[in-house]
Amino acid sequence: MIDTEAVEAIRQELITWRYKGLPVALDGCTIANAAERGLNLFEDGFLGPMLVLDDDALTHNLTTMAKWCADRGMQLAPHAKTTMAPQLWARQIEAGAYGLTAANTAQLRVYRAFGVSRVIFANELVDSAGLRWVDEERSADPGFEFVCFVDSVEVVAQMEASLRQVGAAPVDVLVEVGRTAGRAGARSAAEATAVARAAAASPLLRLVGVGGYEGVLVNDPSPHSISVVNEFLHRMRELTIALHREGLFETDEILLTAGGSCFFDQVAEVFGGPWPGMSVTTVLRSGCYVTHDDGFYRWMSPFSRGEAANGSLRPALKLWARVTSMPEPGLALLTAGKRDLSFDAWPPEPQLVRGADGEIRELADCAIRAVNDQHAFLTLPAGHGLAVGDWVMLGLSYPCTAFDKWQLIPLVRGETVVDFVRTYF
């Protein structure tokens, strides 16, 4: 499902000045050679700021989510755009992932460069160039399984015209269900049924299931939000049953997919059996579980609330930055800003400080009150004990906009670097 040799070849890439934060002494080394050195994050020349991945937390999250899905008979196709890191994709697939999810053709090209063979394209694909390339990939690799969304009769017509123009083979599609004021997706059962009929009638499309995304409908875990999500998921379930009764699916194994990283427990509950007279593969597309976070997902994830809470996830992404200025009482400036860390969901969370003596202690009553391009403004209480040159560890919220700022990320156990993870944004 992924080309392990291509993934392993990443470790033969040379480290250069292009990878920020790394020790100058690593220039010209391969990633593999650098990983073998067992470098200390603070004593071996790392320049900072530095985003790091905690290997123990990462492993815990992979195994916890895989077990959770298996226990409920759910498949998992992680939205791999979260990390765009083939080394992490390989670990997700090794843990039992059904495939990977993509949002656009640029991401899909990276997936295919590393031999990912089953992809849910959770979006509409209507341009001739993209469809031509997908067709070429399928022709070159008969094992490549690709399915994308359609959400209107117009999209069906556009896809059919583009496929005919390039002489492509039929493409598997899912009817995407949406909601008024939401994102893409047919707004009503009648519209979704019309889309399904159009797709089923097309000689160049093959209707194989139903898809949707509940994560954009609400933005908190309140009872009202849960009810909105449940109503949406029940609509998807009911549509799947209705389309099956009408005989529109062109497959014996119907694909039903939803689920971000906030409400996958509701997806499992609503999509769970029975499915009388039907064979249905239910697939979650959660992506951010792999690193979890210290903000939005800590608050929203089913592993932080409800029946899934006892499974737990651990934040695996941390950013270490130095204190470079303390220009007035109660304020410290850190060498990390919008170019280095995620800030668009929740602000970074100060957690630890490592002083010049190597001692690590907790930071209490501190907060990041603003973030510039290259600076974070840290407010401090009296008697904080912080000094210029200290390292401060920040917990981050929302992994998707943290990974995209780093091309090479140290994987650590404690303070020791055990590998480096390459991203492709």
Side-chain angles (χ1 to χ4, degrees):
M1 188 175 292
I2 192 168
D3 186 341
T4 54
E5 290 186 1
V7 174
E8 183 60 25
I10 292 171
R11 303 183 76 245
Q12 299 310 311
E13 290 188 20
L14 294 180
I15 294 175
T16 72
W17 50 264
R18 290 174 299 191
Y19 301 122
K20 62 183 182 180
L22 300 183
V24 174
L26 293 184
D27 283 5
C29 293
T30 64
I31 293 173
N33 178 259
E36 292 166 359
R37 297 188 180 194
L39 298 173
N40 183 282
L41 196 62
F42 305 104
E43 298 175 1
D44 287 318
F46 284 85
L47 302 174
M50 180 55 62
L51 185 73
V52 300
L53 274 168
D54 183 286
D55 190 43
D56 291 337
L58 191 67
T59 299
H60 171 84
N61 295 344
L62 289 168
T63 56
T64 297
M65 189 65 173
K67 182 179 186 304
W68 191 92
C69 290
D71 288 348
R72 289 155 182 80
M74 302 288 292
Q75 297 285 357
L76 176 63
H79 211 321
K81 57 93 173 174
T82 297
T83 67
M84 291 303 292
Q87 292 151 290
L88 299 185
W89 302 344
R91 292 178 65 168
Q92 290 173 300
I93 290 169
E94 184 181 2
Y98 167 87
L100 299 181
T101 297
N104 59 43
T105 312
Q107 293 167 8
L108 182 59
R109 290 193 68 195
V110 181
Y111 294 15
R112 291 298 296 153
F114 289 92
V116 178
S117 59
R118 180 183 283 151
V119 178
I120 297 175
F121 192 91
N123 212 333
E124 286 68 30
L125 179 59
V126 297
D127 64 283
S128 297
L131 288 166
R132 179 187 292 110
W133 175 76
V134 168
D135 189 61
E136 292 169 352
E137 287 293 298
R138 292 185 301 163
S139 297
D141 179 6
F144 175 33
E145 299 179 33
F146 173 85
V147 61
C148 68
F149 287 0
V150 290
D151 71 346
S152 69
V153 173
E154 291 77 15
V155 167
V156 170
Q158 181 67 44
M159 280 195 71
E160 186 173 0
S162 295
L163 290 167
R164 185 175 290 110
Q165 177 185 344
V166 301
V171 172
D172 288 354
V173 296
L174 307 174
V175 176
E176 183 180 9
V177 177
R179 187 175 186 267
T180 300
R183 206 162 65 182
R187 284 346 196 203
S188 68
E191 291 177 2
T193 301
V195 176
R197 289 170 180 165
S202 171
L204 291 175
L205 301 180
R206 199 173 76 100
L207 183 64
V208 299
V210 173
Y213 178 50
E214 76 294 337
V216 292
L217 304 180
V218 294
N219 207 35
D220 63 66
S222 67
H224 170 72
S225 293
I226 297 296
S227 69
V228 170
V229 169
N230 279 341
E231 184 272 336
F232 177 78
L233 295 171
H234 277 288
R235 282 178 53 212
M236 291 184 64
R237 181 184 175 96
E238 290 160 7
L239 177 69
T240 304
I241 294 170
L243 298 183
H244 170 70
R245 286 175 177 166
E246 194 172 330
L248 294 178
F249 291 121
E250 301 169 82
T251 178
D252 294 329
E253 186 65 31
I254 299 165
L255 181 62
L256 178 60
T257 176
S261 296
C262 294
F263 300 105
F264 53 80
D265 56 337
Q266 305 306 121
V267 177
E269 180 178 332
V270 176
F271 287 2
W275 292 91
M278 305 168 62
S279 183
V280 178
T281 295
T282 53
V283 182
L284 297 175
R285 304 195 308 275
S286 313
C288 292
Y289 78 91
V290 69
T291 61
H292 198 46
D293 76 358
D294 280 302
F296 183 73
Y297 289 109
R298 182 176 61 192
W299 177 52
M300 289 287 288
S301 171
F303 283 103
S304 302
R305 56 179 172 79
E307 60 89 18
N310 59 3
S312 78
L313 291 175
R314 300 175 187 170
L317 275 176
K318 304 292 183 180
L319 188 131
W320 287 93
R322 281 197 186 266
V323 177
T324 54
S325 176
M326 302 183 71
E328 62 187 60
L331 175 66
L333 279 300
L334 307 183
T335 59
K338 294 178 180 179
R339 305 291 177 89
D340 311 301
L341 49 78
S342 49
F343 61 91
D344 50 331
W346 286 21
E349 181 180 84
Q351 294 178 342
L352 300 174
V353 58
R354 188 185 193 276
D357 59 0
E359 180 184 353
I360 294 179
R361 56 183 174 83
E362 293 185 1
L363 272 176
D365 302 319
C366 298
I368 299 294
R369 66 172 174 84
V371 180
N372 290 164
D373 282 358
Q374 310 290 175
H375 293 86
F377 293 70
L378 176 64
T379 59
L380 302 166
H384 52 77
L386 208 63
V388 170
D390 286 352
W391 288 95
V392 173
M393 188 183 83
L394 302 175
L396 302 182
S397 178
Y398 203 59
C400 292
T401 51
F403 274 97
D404 66 345
K405 296 169 176 60
W406 296 85
Q407 292 182 298
L408 198 59
I409 305 170
L411 185 69
V412 300
R413 296 191 191 116
E415 296 185 1
T416 302
V417 177
V418 296
D419 206 348
F420 294 85
V421 171
R422 180 80 160 86
T423 67
Y424 295 86
F425 284 92

Short mmCIF file of all heavy atoms in Angstrom, two decimals, residues 124 148-157 159-160 173-178 185-202 205-211 239 243 246 248-250:
data_model
loop_
_atom_site.label_atom_id
_atom_site.label_comp_id
_atom_site.label_asym_id
_atom_site.label_seq_id
_atom_site.Cartn_x
_atom_site.Cartn_y
_atom_site.Cartn_z
N GLU A 124 -14.07 17.19 -4.94
CA GLU A 124 -14.44 17.00 -6.33
C GLU A 124 -13.21 17.21 -7.22
O GLU A 124 -12.37 18.06 -6.92
CB GLU A 124 -15.54 18.00 -6.73
CG GLU A 124 -16.91 17.67 -6.18
CD GLU A 124 -17.04 17.82 -4.67
OE1 GLU A 124 -16.32 18.67 -4.09
OE2 GLU A 124 -17.85 17.10 -4.06
N CYS A 148 -13.22 9.53 -5.77
CA CYS A 148 -13.39 10.94 -5.44
C CYS A 148 -14.87 11.27 -5.24
O CYS A 148 -15.74 10.43 -5.45
CB CYS A 148 -12.77 11.83 -6.51
SG CYS A 148 -13.60 11.80 -8.12
N PHE A 149 -15.13 12.51 -4.84
CA PHE A 149 -16.49 12.96 -4.53
C PHE A 149 -17.14 13.61 -5.75
O PHE A 149 -16.47 14.23 -6.58
CB PHE A 149 -16.47 13.99 -3.40
CG PHE A 149 -16.18 13.43 -2.03
CD1 PHE A 149 -15.96 12.09 -1.81
CD2 PHE A 149 -16.13 14.29 -0.93
CE1 PHE A 149 -15.70 11.59 -0.54
CE2 PHE A 149 -15.89 13.81 0.34
CZ PHE A 149 -15.66 12.46 0.54
N VAL A 150 -18.47 13.52 -5.80
CA VAL A 150 -19.30 14.33 -6.70
C VAL A 150 -20.45 14.87 -5.86
O VAL A 150 -21.01 14.15 -5.04
CB VAL A 150 -19.84 13.54 -7.90
CG1 VAL A 150 -18.71 13.19 -8.88
CG2 VAL A 150 -20.56 12.26 -7.47
N ASP A 151 -20.81 16.15 -6.06
CA ASP A 151 -21.86 16.72 -5.21
C ASP A 151 -22.94 17.46 -5.98
O ASP A 151 -23.81 18.09 -5.38
CB ASP A 151 -21.26 17.63 -4.14
CG ASP A 151 -20.71 18.94 -4.68
OD1 ASP A 151 -20.55 19.05 -5.92
OD2 ASP A 151 -20.44 19.84 -3.88
N SER A 152 -22.88 17.40 -7.31
CA SER A 152 -23.93 18.04 -8.11
C SER A 152 -23.97 17.38 -9.48
O SER A 152 -23.00 16.75 -9.92
CB SER A 152 -23.67 19.54 -8.27
OG SER A 152 -22.55 19.77 -9.09
N VAL A 153 -25.11 17.55 -10.14
CA VAL A 153 -25.23 17.04 -11.51
C VAL A 153 -24.23 17.75 -12.41
O VAL A 153 -23.68 17.14 -13.34
CB VAL A 153 -26.69 17.25 -12.01
CG1 VAL A 153 -26.80 16.89 -13.48
CG2 VAL A 153 -27.65 16.42 -11.17
N GLU A 154 -23.93 19.02 -12.11
CA GLU A 154 -22.95 19.76 -12.90
C GLU A 154 -21.56 19.16 -12.77
O GLU A 154 -20.81 19.08 -13.77
CB GLU A 154 -22.94 21.24 -12.47
CG GLU A 154 -24.19 22.01 -12.84
CD GLU A 154 -25.37 21.72 -11.92
OE1 GLU A 154 -25.16 21.13 -10.83
OE2 GLU A 154 -26.50 22.08 -12.28
N VAL A 155 -21.19 18.76 -11.56
CA VAL A 155 -19.89 18.11 -11.36
C VAL A 155 -19.81 16.80 -12.13
O VAL A 155 -18.80 16.49 -12.77
CB VAL A 155 -19.61 17.89 -9.86
CG1 VAL A 155 -18.43 16.94 -9.67
CG2 VAL A 155 -19.32 19.22 -9.17
N VAL A 156 -20.89 16.02 -12.09
CA VAL A 156 -20.94 14.78 -12.85
C VAL A 156 -20.73 15.05 -14.34
O VAL A 156 -19.93 14.37 -15.00
CB VAL A 156 -22.28 14.05 -12.61
CG1 VAL A 156 -22.44 12.88 -13.60
CG2 VAL A 156 -22.37 13.54 -11.19
N ALA A 157 -21.42 16.06 -14.86
CA ALA A 157 -21.30 16.39 -16.28
C ALA A 157 -19.89 16.87 -16.62
O ALA A 157 -19.33 16.50 -17.66
CB ALA A 157 -22.33 17.46 -16.65
N MET A 159 -17.06 16.15 -14.99
CA MET A 159 -16.15 15.00 -14.93
C MET A 159 -16.28 14.14 -16.17
O MET A 159 -15.29 13.71 -16.77
CB MET A 159 -16.45 14.16 -13.69
CG MET A 159 -15.87 14.67 -12.39
SD MET A 159 -15.90 13.40 -11.09
CE MET A 159 -14.63 12.27 -11.67
N GLU A 160 -17.52 13.88 -16.56
CA GLU A 160 -17.75 13.03 -17.74
C GLU A 160 -17.14 13.67 -18.98
O GLU A 160 -16.48 12.99 -19.78
CB GLU A 160 -19.25 12.80 -17.93
CG GLU A 160 -19.56 11.80 -19.03
CD GLU A 160 -21.04 11.45 -19.10
OE1 GLU A 160 -21.83 11.98 -18.29
OE2 GLU A 160 -21.40 10.64 -19.97
N VAL A 173 -16.75 7.01 -7.86
CA VAL A 173 -17.15 8.24 -7.18
C VAL A 173 -18.08 7.94 -6.01
O VAL A 173 -18.77 6.92 -5.97
CB VAL A 173 -17.85 9.23 -8.15
CG1 VAL A 173 -16.90 9.69 -9.23
CG2 VAL A 173 -19.12 8.62 -8.75
N LEU A 174 -18.08 8.89 -5.06
CA LEU A 174 -18.98 8.88 -3.92
C LEU A 174 -19.85 10.13 -3.99
O LEU A 174 -19.34 11.21 -4.27
CB LEU A 174 -18.19 8.90 -2.60
CG LEU A 174 -17.12 7.84 -2.38
CD1 LEU A 174 -16.36 8.14 -1.09
CD2 LEU A 174 -17.72 6.45 -2.33
N VAL A 175 -21.14 10.00 -3.73
CA VAL A 175 -21.99 11.18 -3.60
C VAL A 175 -21.63 11.88 -2.30
O VAL A 175 -21.67 11.27 -1.23
CB VAL A 175 -23.48 10.79 -3.59
CG1 VAL A 175 -24.33 12.04 -3.35
CG2 VAL A 175 -23.88 10.13 -4.89
N GLU A 176 -21.26 13.15 -2.40
CA GLU A 176 -20.93 13.90 -1.20
C GLU A 176 -22.16 14.59 -0.65
O GLU A 176 -22.84 15.34 -1.35
CB GLU A 176 -19.84 14.95 -1.47
CG GLU A 176 -19.44 15.69 -0.19
CD GLU A 176 -18.37 16.74 -0.38
OE1 GLU A 176 -18.03 17.05 -1.55
OE2 GLU A 176 -17.88 17.28 0.63
N VAL A 177 -22.43 14.35 0.63
CA VAL A 177 -23.54 14.97 1.33
C VAL A 177 -23.04 16.21 2.05
O VAL A 177 -21.98 16.18 2.70
CB VAL A 177 -24.17 13.99 2.33
CG1 VAL A 177 -25.30 14.65 3.12
CG2 VAL A 177 -24.67 12.74 1.61
N GLY A 178 -23.78 17.30 1.94
CA GLY A 178 -23.43 18.52 2.64
C GLY A 178 -24.58 19.03 3.48
O GLY A 178 -25.55 18.33 3.73
N GLY A 185 -20.93 19.59 -0.98
CA GLY A 185 -21.87 18.51 -0.71
C GLY A 185 -23.29 18.87 -1.07
O GLY A 185 -23.71 20.02 -0.91
N ALA A 186 -24.05 17.89 -1.58
CA ALA A 186 -25.45 18.09 -1.91
C ALA A 186 -26.22 18.46 -0.65
O ALA A 186 -26.05 17.84 0.40
CB ALA A 186 -26.03 16.83 -2.53
N ARG A 187 -27.06 19.47 -0.75
CA ARG A 187 -27.71 20.04 0.43
C ARG A 187 -28.94 19.27 0.89
O ARG A 187 -29.37 19.44 2.02
CB ARG A 187 -28.12 21.48 0.15
CG ARG A 187 -27.05 22.57 0.17
CD ARG A 187 -25.75 22.21 0.75
NE ARG A 187 -24.94 23.40 1.05
CZ ARG A 187 -23.64 23.42 1.16
NH1 ARG A 187 -22.94 22.29 0.98
NH2 ARG A 187 -22.98 24.51 1.49
N SER A 188 -29.54 18.48 0.06
CA SER A 188 -30.75 17.76 0.44
C SER A 188 -30.69 16.34 -0.08
O SER A 188 -29.90 16.01 -0.98
CB SER A 188 -31.99 18.46 -0.13
OG SER A 188 -32.02 18.35 -1.55
N ALA A 189 -31.57 15.48 0.46
CA ALA A 189 -31.64 14.10 0.00
C ALA A 189 -32.05 14.05 -1.47
O ALA A 189 -31.54 13.22 -2.25
CB ALA A 189 -32.63 13.32 0.85
N ALA A 190 -32.96 14.95 -1.87
CA ALA A 190 -33.40 14.98 -3.27
C ALA A 190 -32.24 15.34 -4.19
O ALA A 190 -32.06 14.72 -5.26
CB ALA A 190 -34.54 15.98 -3.43
N GLU A 191 -31.43 16.34 -3.80
CA GLU A 191 -30.27 16.72 -4.62
C GLU A 191 -29.26 15.58 -4.68
O GLU A 191 -28.69 15.29 -5.74
CB GLU A 191 -29.63 17.98 -4.06
CG GLU A 191 -30.47 19.24 -4.22
CD GLU A 191 -29.82 20.45 -3.59
OE1 GLU A 191 -28.69 20.32 -3.07
OE2 GLU A 191 -30.42 21.54 -3.60
N ALA A 192 -28.99 14.96 -3.54
CA ALA A 192 -28.02 13.87 -3.50
C ALA A 192 -28.48 12.69 -4.35
O ALA A 192 -27.67 12.05 -5.04
CB ALA A 192 -27.80 13.42 -2.06
N THR A 193 -29.76 12.42 -4.33
CA THR A 193 -30.30 11.32 -5.14
C THR A 193 -30.16 11.64 -6.62
O THR A 193 -29.81 10.77 -7.43
CB THR A 193 -31.77 11.07 -4.78
OG1 THR A 193 -31.86 10.74 -3.39
CG2 THR A 193 -32.34 9.92 -5.61
N ALA A 194 -30.41 12.89 -6.99
CA ALA A 194 -30.25 13.30 -8.39
C ALA A 194 -28.80 13.14 -8.83
O ALA A 194 -28.51 12.69 -9.96
CB ALA A 194 -30.71 14.73 -8.58
N VAL A 195 -27.88 13.49 -7.96
CA VAL A 195 -26.45 13.33 -8.27
C VAL A 195 -26.12 11.85 -8.45
O VAL A 195 -25.42 11.45 -9.39
CB VAL A 195 -25.57 13.94 -7.16
CG1 VAL A 195 -24.10 13.68 -7.44
CG2 VAL A 195 -25.82 15.43 -7.03
N ALA A 196 -26.63 11.02 -7.54
CA ALA A 196 -26.37 9.59 -7.62
C ALA A 196 -26.92 8.99 -8.91
O ALA A 196 -26.26 8.17 -9.56
CB ALA A 196 -27.00 8.89 -6.41
N ARG A 197 -28.11 9.40 -9.29
CA ARG A 197 -28.70 8.89 -10.54
C ARG A 197 -27.87 9.32 -11.74
O ARG A 197 -27.65 8.52 -12.66
CB ARG A 197 -30.14 9.39 -10.66
CG ARG A 197 -31.10 8.74 -9.66
CD ARG A 197 -32.45 9.44 -9.65
NE ARG A 197 -33.36 8.81 -8.70
CZ ARG A 197 -34.49 9.36 -8.26
NH1 ARG A 197 -34.84 10.59 -8.68
NH2 ARG A 197 -35.27 8.72 -7.41
N ALA A 198 -27.40 10.56 -11.72
CA ALA A 198 -26.58 11.04 -12.84
C ALA A 198 -25.27 10.27 -12.91
O ALA A 198 -24.81 9.89 -14.00
CB ALA A 198 -26.32 12.53 -12.69
N ALA A 199 -24.66 10.04 -11.77
CA ALA A 199 -23.39 9.29 -11.75
C ALA A 199 -23.59 7.85 -12.20
O ALA A 199 -22.79 7.31 -12.98
CB ALA A 199 -22.79 9.33 -10.35
N ALA A 200 -24.65 7.24 -11.72
CA ALA A 200 -24.92 5.85 -12.09
C ALA A 200 -25.22 5.71 -13.57
O ALA A 200 -24.93 4.66 -14.19
CB ALA A 200 -26.08 5.30 -11.26
N ALA A 201 -25.81 6.74 -14.18
CA ALA A 201 -26.15 6.70 -15.59
C ALA A 201 -24.96 6.99 -16.49
O ALA A 201 -25.01 6.72 -17.70
CB ALA A 201 -27.26 7.70 -15.89
N SER A 202 -23.91 7.53 -15.93
CA SER A 202 -22.75 7.90 -16.73
C SER A 202 -21.89 6.68 -17.06
O SER A 202 -21.54 5.90 -16.16
CB SER A 202 -21.89 8.92 -15.99
OG SER A 202 -20.67 9.13 -16.67
N LEU A 205 -18.40 7.13 -15.07
CA LEU A 205 -18.34 7.17 -13.62
C LEU A 205 -18.95 5.89 -13.07
O LEU A 205 -19.85 5.30 -13.68
CB LEU A 205 -19.10 8.39 -13.07
CG LEU A 205 -18.63 9.77 -13.52
CD1 LEU A 205 -19.50 10.85 -12.86
CD2 LEU A 205 -17.17 10.00 -13.20
N ARG A 206 -18.47 5.49 -11.90
CA ARG A 206 -18.99 4.29 -11.25
C ARG A 206 -19.34 4.65 -9.81
O ARG A 206 -18.45 4.93 -9.00
CB ARG A 206 -17.95 3.17 -11.30
CG ARG A 206 -18.52 1.77 -11.08
CD ARG A 206 -17.45 0.72 -11.33
NE ARG A 206 -16.51 0.64 -10.22
CZ ARG A 206 -16.57 -0.30 -9.25
NH1 ARG A 206 -17.52 -1.21 -9.27
NH2 ARG A 206 -15.67 -0.30 -8.30
N LEU A 207 -20.62 4.67 -9.49
CA LEU A 207 -21.06 5.07 -8.16
C LEU A 207 -20.81 3.93 -7.17
O LEU A 207 -21.36 2.83 -7.32
CB LEU A 207 -22.55 5.41 -8.18
CG LEU A 207 -23.13 5.91 -6.86
CD1 LEU A 207 -22.51 7.23 -6.44
CD2 LEU A 207 -24.65 6.03 -6.95
N VAL A 208 -19.96 4.20 -6.15
CA VAL A 208 -19.58 3.13 -5.22
C VAL A 208 -19.92 3.45 -3.77
O VAL A 208 -19.68 2.62 -2.89
CB VAL A 208 -18.08 2.78 -5.35
CG1 VAL A 208 -17.76 2.30 -6.75
CG2 VAL A 208 -17.21 3.98 -4.97
N GLY A 209 -20.46 4.66 -3.48
CA GLY A 209 -20.77 4.93 -2.09
C GLY A 209 -21.16 6.36 -1.83
O GLY A 209 -21.51 7.12 -2.74
N VAL A 210 -21.09 6.73 -0.54
CA VAL A 210 -21.51 8.04 -0.05
C VAL A 210 -20.42 8.59 0.86
O VAL A 210 -19.83 7.85 1.67
CB VAL A 210 -22.84 7.93 0.72
CG1 VAL A 210 -23.21 9.25 1.39
CG2 VAL A 210 -23.96 7.47 -0.21
N GLY A 211 -20.14 9.88 0.75
CA GLY A 211 -19.14 10.52 1.61
C GLY A 211 -19.65 11.83 2.17
O GLY A 211 -20.64 12.40 1.69
N LEU A 239 -29.48 8.04 3.27
CA LEU A 239 -29.26 8.16 1.83
C LEU A 239 -28.61 6.89 1.28
O LEU A 239 -29.00 6.41 0.20
CB LEU A 239 -28.36 9.37 1.55
CG LEU A 239 -28.00 9.56 0.07
CD1 LEU A 239 -29.22 9.97 -0.74
CD2 LEU A 239 -26.88 10.60 -0.08
N LEU A 243 -30.29 4.76 -1.72
CA LEU A 243 -29.64 4.55 -3.01
C LEU A 243 -29.45 3.07 -3.29
O LEU A 243 -29.55 2.62 -4.44
CB LEU A 243 -28.29 5.28 -3.04
CG LEU A 243 -28.33 6.81 -2.89
CD1 LEU A 243 -26.92 7.39 -3.01
CD2 LEU A 243 -29.27 7.45 -3.89
N GLU A 246 -32.68 1.62 -4.49
CA GLU A 246 -32.95 2.02 -5.87
C GLU A 246 -32.02 1.31 -6.85
O GLU A 246 -32.18 1.42 -8.08
CB GLU A 246 -32.82 3.54 -6.01
CG GLU A 246 -33.40 4.09 -7.30
CD GLU A 246 -33.45 5.60 -7.34
OE1 GLU A 246 -33.59 6.22 -6.26
OE2 GLU A 246 -33.36 6.17 -8.45
N LEU A 248 -28.74 1.82 -7.32
CA LEU A 248 -27.85 2.76 -8.01
C LEU A 248 -26.37 2.44 -7.83
O LEU A 248 -25.55 2.85 -8.66
CB LEU A 248 -28.14 4.19 -7.56
CG LEU A 248 -29.52 4.75 -7.94
CD1 LEU A 248 -29.70 6.15 -7.38
CD2 LEU A 248 -29.69 4.76 -9.45
N PHE A 249 -26.00 1.76 -6.75
CA PHE A 249 -24.58 1.48 -6.53
C PHE A 249 -24.09 0.44 -7.52
O PHE A 249 -24.77 -0.57 -7.78
CB PHE A 249 -24.34 1.00 -5.10
CG PHE A 249 -24.55 2.07 -4.07
CD1 PHE A 249 -25.50 1.91 -3.07
CD2 PHE A 249 -23.82 3.24 -4.10
CE1 PHE A 249 -25.70 2.90 -2.11
CE2 PHE A 249 -24.02 4.24 -3.15
CZ PHE A 249 -24.97 4.06 -2.16
N GLU A 250 -22.90 0.68 -8.05
CA GLU A 250 -22.32 -0.22 -9.04
C GLU A 250 -21.20 -1.06 -8.44
O GLU A 250 -20.15 -1.25 -9.03
CB GLU A 250 -21.83 0.62 -10.23
CG GLU A 250 -22.95 1.42 -10.87
CD GLU A 250 -22.47 2.45 -11.86
OE1 GLU A 250 -22.19 2.08 -13.01
OE2 GLU A 250 -22.36 3.63 -11.47
#
